[in-house]
Amino acid sequence: MKSFEWTVVGSDIGPLLLAATADGLVSVAFHADAPARDRAVDRLVAQLGGTPRQVASGAGAASAGGPAAPGRLAEPICQFAEYFAGRRRDFDLTLDWSLTSGFNREVLRELASGVPYGAVVGYGELAARVGRPDAAQAVGAAMGSNPLPLVVPCHRVVESDGSLGGFGGGRETKRKLLALEGVLPEPLF
């Protein structure tokens, strides 16, 4: 059982739910309006078995350079604000990998360490990097189950022909993130 803290922060791609255990950031969830937030917290309770504790985001203060929320989420909140402001290219956070295991964890760790800001990788290439060149579809499944999107940048994984492919946060969110990182041009409107 792992107790966790959670909060919702605003971002350029909509509200994000951030959750952390004593071991580190454990979950990031997109589009965290009230119903999605409640589902995400309930899912974390079921997966972690611990008690949730909501904390104030302090997002306004963090984005203005002031103090962020106390506790486990202070640094993640600050780094997310810096990322969306264009002042951070790499997240430097302690991560709790307990919501993923096996092949998925192996793929996600390779993605986190081997695909930098402003770069993309194909599903097949990522499969080859972990020694399973025929597992492109399994890499897609790993991306879909990523509990730490943005920090573990599944938005940087594209189809072999360069098209966007799928994304748990939606294709428009993926476009915005790749534009933020300079991979795609900013939309005209």
Side-chain angles (χ1 to χ4, degrees), residues 16-37:
L16 300 170
L17 181 135
L18 308 179
T21 67
D23 295 327
L25 187 68
V26 71
S27 180
V28 177
F30 293 111
H31 314 299
D33 60 8
R37 175 200 65 214

Side-chain angles (χ1 to χ4, degrees), residues 26-125:
V26 71
S27 180
V28 177
F30 293 111
H31 314 299
D33 60 8
R37 175 200 65 214
D38 293 344
R39 284 190 304 273
V41 171
D42 289 346
R43 186 173 52 252
L44 287 168
V45 168
Q47 292 171 315
L48 299 171
T51 305
R53 183 171 74 90
Q54 184 177 8
V55 297
S57 71
S63 62
R72 301 171 184 161
L73 290 168
E75 191 59 25
I77 290 167
C78 181
Q79 288 191 27
F80 273 84
E82 292 170 350
Y83 172 81
F84 284 108
R87 295 189 312 266
R88 173 171 290 279
R89 292 177 162 233
D90 299 306
F91 289 95
D92 183 22
L93 298 168
T94 302
L95 302 179
D96 178 341
W97 291 94
S98 64
L99 297 180
T100 187
S101 62
F103 177 77
N104 288 1
R105 183 184 292 185
E106 185 180 359
V107 169
L108 294 172
R109 284 183 179 265
E110 173 59 32
L111 175 62
S113 65
V115 183
Y117 184 99
V120 294
V121 64
Y123 294 94
E125 181 183 338

